[in-house]
């Protein structure tokens, strides 16, 4: 199912041109137009799901397999030294386009990019409290 107001639906289904590095019946993988590094690509399902919480399990499984294929292609062709997979859900997590997508970010020694987080330093009790909250 497509969403008429969604730019990634239009790109994934070829209504808006994109720099496509891979395509099959269910997915299009495009170059990000604001890349973190050379070859930064996005895996877009052709059907519309806002995020990880909406996407069905079988489509999510196929999406990560597609990401793996595209990652191998990018790593080989662009001689990347490493690679990050990033997948944002919700504005609080940095999602700016509400159509599920997986970022594939090739990494190069000394590429100067910052993709990560500031590590916390909780006490053992705090971690146990979180575990209790999650496990009930
Ligand atoms: P996110 O912040 O996880 O929602 O990622 C959205 C990504 O889509 C960003 O990295 C943007 O640079 C990228 N983006 C937005 N519009 C386009 C577009 N028309 N073509 C290619 N990439 C896009
Ligand atoms: Zn969409």
């Amino acid at each position: 199912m497509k969403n008429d107001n969604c730019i990634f639906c239009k790109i994934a289904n070829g209504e808006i041109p994109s720099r496509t590095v891979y395509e099959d019946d269910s997915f299009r993988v495009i170059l990000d137009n604001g890349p973190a590094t050379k070859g930064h690509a996005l895996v877009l399902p052709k059907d519309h799901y806002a995020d990880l919480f909406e996407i069905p399990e079988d489509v999510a499984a196929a999406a990560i397999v597609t990401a793996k294929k595209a990652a191998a292609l990018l790593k080989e062709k662009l001689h990347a030294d490493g690679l990050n997979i990033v997948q944002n859900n919700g504005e609080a997590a940095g999602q700016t386009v509400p159509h599920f997508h997986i970022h594939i970010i090739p990494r190069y020694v000394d590429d100067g990019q910052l993709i990560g987080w500031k590590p916390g330093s909780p006490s053992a009790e705090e971690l146990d409290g979180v575990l209790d909250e999650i496990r009930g």
Side-chain angles (χ1 to χ4, degrees):
M1 189 111 79
K2 322 296 176 239
N3 178 328
D4 286 345
N5 300 316
C6 174
I7 186 170
F8 278 6
C9 278
K10 292 188 171 75
I11 291 174
N13 291 281
E15 292 165 39
I16 293 178
S18 62
R19 293 181 176 84
T20 298
V21 297
Y22 172 85
E23 184 186 5
D24 61 26
D25 288 348
S26 305
F27 297 96
R28 184 186 295 269
V29 182
I30 66 166
L31 288 184
D32 193 305
N33 67 2
T37 63
K38 180 182 172 185
H40 181 168
L42 303 170
V43 177
L44 309 179
K46 291 188 174 180
D47 285 332
H48 182 86
Y49 310 104
D51 56 25
L52 186 67
F53 304 104
E54 281 196 3
I55 194 168
E57 286 187 359
D58 60 333
V59 185
I64 196 70
V65 172
T66 304
K68 178 174 166 58
K69 284 181 191 157
L73 177 72
L74 293 170
K75 185 169 187 296
E76 184 198 336
K77 298 285 186 165
L78 300 178
H79 310 290
D81 301 307
L83 189 137
N84 293 112
I85 294 286
V86 176
Q87 201 278 308
N88 300 325
N89 299 281
E91 278 182 36
Q95 186 179 14
T96 57
V97 181
H99 174 121
F100 176 94
H101 51 280
I102 298 174
H103 294 259
I104 304 170
I105 307 174
R107 299 302 304 274
Y108 308 91
V109 172
D110 297 329
D111 64 25
Q113 267 298 349
L114 298 171
I115 298 166
W117 55 87
K118 189 175 61 146
S121 49
S123 66
E125 291 72 23
E126 285 168 323
L127 284 174
D128 287 343
V130 174
L131 191 58
D132 285 345
E133 230 179 288
I134 294 167
R135 297 179 68 169

